[in-house]
């Protein structure tokens, strides 16, 4: 079983890592890179996907850590 996908999203205090469907942020970071690093660890532990959003909320990138039948194209 895989965990919730983790989203790196803009936050009033910088950048946040949020589990899919969660109201509250799991963690909040000063920079997007710090949030990506934290989110990647969670996604790896939960064998889920990390979805990185742009400042305007659109998806910038996806990073899969689960048993994805459609691996990201490199």
């Amino acid at each position: 079983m895989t965990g919730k996908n983790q989203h790196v999203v803009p936050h009033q205090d910088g950048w946040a890592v949020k589990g899919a469907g969660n109201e509250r942020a799991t963690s909040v970071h000063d920079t997007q890179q710090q949030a990506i690093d934290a989110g990647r660890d969670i996604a790896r532990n939960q064998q889920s996907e990390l979805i990185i959003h742009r400042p305007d909320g659109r998806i910038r990138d996806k990073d899969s850590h689960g048993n994805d039948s459609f691996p990201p194209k490199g």
Side-chain angles (χ1 to χ4, degrees), residues 8-29:
V8 173
V9 295
H11 186 276
Q12 63 190 21
D13 295 326
W15 290 86
V17 178
K18 260 185 162 172
N22 289 3
E23 285 295 312
R24 297 178 59 134
T26 305
S27 58
V28 177
H29 305 270

Side-chain angles (χ1 to χ4, degrees), residues 8-63:
V8 173
V9 295
H11 186 276
Q12 63 190 21
D13 295 326
W15 290 86
V17 178
K18 260 185 162 172
N22 289 3
E23 285 295 312
R24 297 178 59 134
T26 305
S27 58
V28 177
H29 305 270
D30 291 335
T31 68
Q32 187 183 34
Q33 188 57 55
Q34 288 172 321
I36 290 168
D37 291 343
R40 186 170 285 141
D41 286 344
I42 297 168
R44 195 175 288 133
N45 289 339
Q46 296 192 358
Q47 296 188 324
S48 61
E49 203 168 6
L50 179 67
I51 294 102
I52 302 162
H53 293 259
R54 296 179 188 277
D56 65 6
R58 290 185 305 154
I59 291 174
R60 183 188 104 180
D61 208 357
K62 286 187 178 182
D63 199 353

Side-chain angles (χ1 to χ4, degrees), residues 2 47-49 62-73:
T2 58
Q47 296 188 324
S48 61
E49 203 168 6
K62 286 187 178 182
D63 199 353
S64 180
H65 295 284
N67 299 323
D68 193 348
S69 56
F70 301 101
K73 293 175 179 64

